[in-house]
Amino acid sequence: MDQEKRNQRSIDPATLVMLEHAEKEGLETAWDRHDKQDPQCGFGLLGVCCRNCNMGPCRIDPFGGEPQRGVCGAGADTIVARNLLRAIAAGAAAHSDHGRDIVEALLHAATGEAPDYRIKDRDKLLVLAAELAIEVAGRSDEEIAADVASAALDEFGMSKGTLAFLNRAPEARRNVWSKFGLTPRGIDREIVEVMHRTHIGVDNDYVNLILHGLRTALSDGWGGSMWATELSDVLFGTPQPVEGVSNLGVLKEDQVNIIVHGHEPTLSEMIVEAARDPELLELARAQGAQGISISGMCCTGNELLMRHGVPVAGNFLQQELAIITGAVEAMIVDVQCIMPSLTGLADCYHTEIISTSPKAKFPGAKHVPFEEKSALKIAKEIVRMAVENYPNRNPDRVFIPREKMEFVAGFSVEAILSALGGSLDPLLEAIKEGAIKGIVGIVGCNNPKITHDYGHIALTEELIKNDVLVVETGCTAIASAKRGLLLPEAAAKAGPGLRSVCEALKIPPVLHMGSCVDISRILVVAAAVANALGVDISDLPLAGAAPEWMSEKAVSIGTYVIGSGIYTVLGTVPPVLGSENVAALLTAGANDVIGAAFAVEGDPLKAASLIMEHINGKRSKLGLP
Ligand code: BF8
């Protein structure tokens, strides 16, 4: 492949070096497989194929010819809406099931069944207890934590009432949810109801379906994801600004390299602790290594860098490249965004793929079941496997790109408040005066349909240039870390207003707020700003964007973000264009219901213009300059 074509695959220098190396080694990556899928299925792209019953599969002719109905009689509106709902349900389930695992970890830590976990943020536990009206006087942290965790567990099945964290949203927003029947009744319940409604012959009204999709997604953002974030903070500590290093150059030529990849901090926190074990460090030295180096990938990487500054090796599309460095002794995986291709690539090297979750097994991987009750012991066993694999590394095949970049991350809501001197007022003032024009959350994945990292970086840089404070999570934040945008010095790239605020507060113009479940932190900030100004979230100069999204989790996120009243621009087209009605509802009609809608724009610079227009519109409605 010539360099010009390769340059269309990524803007990240380490990735480009590795893609060239992969090609020399004859190894296939997601980009190659994406090319082999060309042309992708037109029915699938439009969302007009249905496999929900065995009279099908059916599809609708997008050009108005026959067939226009599936065997059961469902038309394009029903089929497209049902498919979208199932994607929302899968995404909400992934986040919320992750949330449930964290809740259970806290419960077991509190009851002594998971002795290796301790409550690291007592203050946050007490704040949550107060919010949930749980008695604290005269009680131990463990007793309080057990009650908090039980209250959280109840929210998954929820037989009465609504989710506790909905009360964080402004009253006006809660009224919108209530008026249109969008108030989630229980996290699992909404997901189950999606599966029921999308079964053949149940809900055939696309508007009714999409309203339920919004309710399901809201149960993720203000329920499952928010619990995951809040209780991860209680268990592992609330992030505070922390320095670290990013990109594949963090891998060490002379150390045992372990990459933790996936999403749940319960495992990775223990791996970090195990890697400090003197006995294992001694063993590493005995095997000829200078130490044990842990780095993260995807959202596990984000969880670890937010709390410990652990290096992050890369984002979603770099996971295969990490193995192709030939320098990774073990890639430890749990759940979500782990490519099935990894084991095949690992077979070409000495790398062990070690799966740990009963929910996610990978043919060809070694499976070491991770259990909370003996968490540290299992983590040490896994680290030992990696250390003992070091002598199997073939130094002649090691190819680590030099590229790496420093970053500052750890901007939890608490950390932002502390940077602001304890109150939101300086931020509100900056927004009112126009030094900061608005706040935009840029989130989501990589997708070979878009030049890797270009969507994230071009949009981020354009917005900060326009005095927009950018908050990020997930693979977007890793893209910005690699680009140097998470450093206070990056304020030089910002417009004069944002630059002066960043310099005064000594913060970067792009704030890393965590993993994808931590988009709940962005909701909390949005709600707090709206509450402080006495308006709805939809009145604020805010926007969301997912320039390179690909996962079903991103579909749920986008849906709860608009459901929360925040205009959202997508960089890749969701499979809804097969129904003009559904597409119109999502991109326009939704404004009349929830005060926000989606836009789709693949060019990040044009996306930035759309966002600036939206922000300026909201500012003038609020009477701001
Ligand atoms: O949850 S941004 S590719 S890693 S889905 Fe996955 Fe997308 Fe990355 Fe984290 Ni989020």
Side-chain angles (χ1 to χ4, degrees):
M1 179 184 305
D2 60 27
Q3 191 60 37
E4 200 180 328
K5 172 139 194 246
R6 201 174 297 116
N7 287 346
Q8 288 167 11
R9 291 188 163 187
S10 179
I11 59 162
D12 171 48
T15 297
L16 288 171
V17 167
M18 287 311 297
L19 283 174
E20 189 176 356
H21 180 65
E23 212 178 305
K24 281 190 195 136
E25 296 282 304
L27 298 172
E28 188 184 70
T29 64
W31 285 274
D32 303 313
R33 293 189 296 274
H34 179 255
D35 285 353
K36 287 184 188 171
Q37 288 290 335
D38 192 42
Q40 290 184 318
C41 168
F43 297 106
L45 286 169
L46 295 172
V48 288
C49 46
C50 179
R51 289 190 300 104
N52 292 14
C53 86
N54 207 28
M55 293 189 290
C58 298
R59 74 263 183 268
I60 303 298
D61 182 342
F63 304 110
E66 288 298 332
Q68 283 300 305
R69 303 255 159 214
V71 178
C72 71
D77 294 346
T78 305
I79 291 174
V80 168
R82 283 198 307 216
N83 289 341
L84 178 67
L85 246 65
R86 286 195 171 198
I88 293 171
H95 283 146
S96 300
D97 204 35
H98 163 175
R100 186 197 338 259
D101 284 345
I102 302 290
V103 174
E104 286 188 332
L106 178 65
L107 183 62
H108 296 151
T111 55
E113 293 160 89
D116 298 326
Y117 297 100
R118 285 170 298 279
I119 292 159
K120 291 244 178 75
D121 191 341
R122 180 170 191 268
D123 291 347
K124 185 142 191 174
L125 174 67
L126 297 182
V127 168
L128 281 170
E131 188 174 355
L132 299 164
I134 286 169
E135 184 62 47
V136 297
R139 305 183 74 204
S140 70
D141 290 356
E142 286 70 26
E143 286 169 322
I144 299 166
D147 277 2
V148 168
S150 298
L153 274 184
D154 285 347
E155 296 220 327
F156 285 83
M158 198 118 209
S159 57
K160 54 179 190 274
T162 55
L163 307 181
F165 294 143
L166 297 177
N167 288 326
R168 295 176 171 187
E171 195 184 349
R173 183 65 3 201
R174 282 181 275 136
N175 289 341
V176 169
W177 292 337
S178 160
K179 182 174 169 194
F180 293 101
L182 305 180
T183 310
R185 300 155 299 173
I187 299 162
D188 291 347
R189 178 175 178 174
E190 307 308 355
I191 295 165
V192 168
E193 195 170 308
V194 167
M195 300 314 286
H196 180 191
R197 286 186 187 222
T198 57
H199 185 276
I200 177 197
V202 185
D203 199 351
N204 295 300
D205 179 322
Y206 75 93
V207 177
N208 204 41
L209 279 162
I210 285 172
L211 287 173
H212 181 64
L214 281 160
R215 178 162 57 183
T216 305
L218 288 167
S219 81
D220 168 0
W222 297 85
S225 279
M226 208 168 272
W227 278 115
T229 298
E230 297 290 13
L231 298 193
S232 292
D233 285 357
V234 170
L235 259 186
F236 307 119
T238 302
Q240 293 299 323
V242 62
E243 293 175 6
V245 188
S246 59
N247 218 342
L248 290 165
V250 303
L251 295 173
K252 302 276 192 322
E253 204 146 335
D254 55 357
Q255 296 195 22
V256 175
N257 286 305
I258 298 177
I259 293 185
V260 278
H261 175 21
H263 282 76
E264 293 182 348
T266 34
L267 165 71
S268 49
E269 286 276 336
M270 287 296 138
I271 296 285
V272 169
E273 201 170 323
R276 295 187 192 127
D277 181 76
E279 199 188 312
L280 288 168
L281 286 167
E282 189 46 48
L283 179 66
R285 276 188 286 273
Q287 305 279 358
Q290 295 301 310
I292 303 173
S293 169
I294 304 283
S295 47
M297 179 67 66
C298 289
C299 281
T300 286
N302 284 322
E303 297 278 358
L304 291 179
L305 70 84
M306 286 286 284
R307 296 196 175 88
H308 308 288
V310 166
V312 61
N315 50 9
F316 177 73
L317 275 176
Q318 291 179 286
Q319 57 187 287
E320 295 178 301
L321 307 179
I323 291 176
I324 298 173
T325 62
V328 177
E329 275 55 55
M331 187 178 271
I332 304 164
V333 301
D334 51 29
V335 290
Q336 300 171 20
C337 305
I338 300 147
M339 289 191 193
S341 62
L342 293 182
T343 46
L345 277 177
D347 282 347
C348 306
Y349 294 90
H350 73 302
T351 307
E352 292 283 8
I353 306 292
I354 302 174
S355 60
T356 55
S357 166
K359 296 173 199 168
K361 292 197 175 178
F362 298 77
K366 284 208 169 125
H367 188 70
V368 180
F370 183 71
E371 291 169 16
E372 288 156 10
K373 62 176 188 292
S374 33
L376 191 56
K377 182 169 163 276
I378 297 170
K380 284 184 185 173
E381 188 188 319
I382 293 173
V383 172
R384 177 180 293 273
M385 286 165 73
V387 171
E388 288 175 347
N389 195 23
Y390 184 75
N392 296 325
R393 187 194 286 185
N394 178 351
D396 296 338
R397 294 196 67 203
V398 169
F399 186 88
I400 303 174
R402 275 200 299 271
E403 285 76 9
K404 55 184 171 184
M405 177 59 79
E406 289 73 29
F407 63 79
V408 178
F411 288 95
S412 58
V413 178
E414 292 81 349
I416 292 174
L417 276 174
S418 140
L420 291 169
S423 105
L424 275 180
D425 292 349
L427 177 65
L428 298 178
E429 272 319 302
I431 293 173
K432 283 184 194 162
E433 287 166 5
I436 291 178
K437 294 273 184 335
I439 306 175
V440 174
I442 311 183
V443 305
C445 324
N446 299 134
N447 185 331
K449 290 179 177 177
I450 301 250
T451 303
H452 170 238
D453 287 354
Y454 171 69
H456 299 307
I457 297 304
L459 179 60
T460 302
E461 290 185 341
E462 188 64 15
L463 289 176
I464 63 172
K465 208 172 17 164
N466 280 284
D467 289 323
V468 169
L469 176 67
V470 173
V471 292
E472 294 184 342
T473 62
C475 289
T476 311
I478 298 173
S480 285
K482 292 184 289 171
R483 190 75 168 190
L485 295 175
L486 303 187
L487 293 167
E489 301 87 281
K493 293 188 172 181
L498 177 62
R499 191 187 318 146
S500 64
V501 173
C502 290
E503 284 169 357
L505 299 174
K506 300 188 176 53
I507 57 169
V510 182
L511 303 181
H512 188 335
M513 293 191 75
S515 63
C516 286
V517 291
D518 293 337
I519 293 168
S520 59
R521 299 190 201 275
I522 302 179
L523 293 181
V524 171
V525 172
V529 172
N531 283 328
L533 296 175
V535 297
D536 192 356
I537 295 173
S538 57
D539 297 321
L540 298 173
L542 305 180
E548 302 180 26
W549 77 274
M550 60 83 197
S551 72
E552 289 168 315
K553 289 183 288 174
V555 180
S556 178
I557 292 165
T559 310
Y560 75 63
V561 170
I562 67 159
S564 302
I566 302 171
Y567 169 70
T568 297
V569 184
L570 305 175
T572 63
V573 187
V576 299
L577 296 186
S579 161
E580 273 179 32
N581 284 330
V582 170
L585 178 58
L586 294 171
T587 55
N591 270 317
D592 301 329
V593 183
I594 46 173
F598 285 112
V600 181
E601 177 50 68
D603 177 341
L605 298 179
K606 288 186 186 154
S609 300
L610 289 175
I611 288 171
M612 290 317 299
E613 202 181 307
H614 170 80
I615 283 177
N616 289 330
K618 292 291 176 189
R619 290 187 65 85
S620 64
K621 276 200 191 137
L622 286 171
L624 301 178

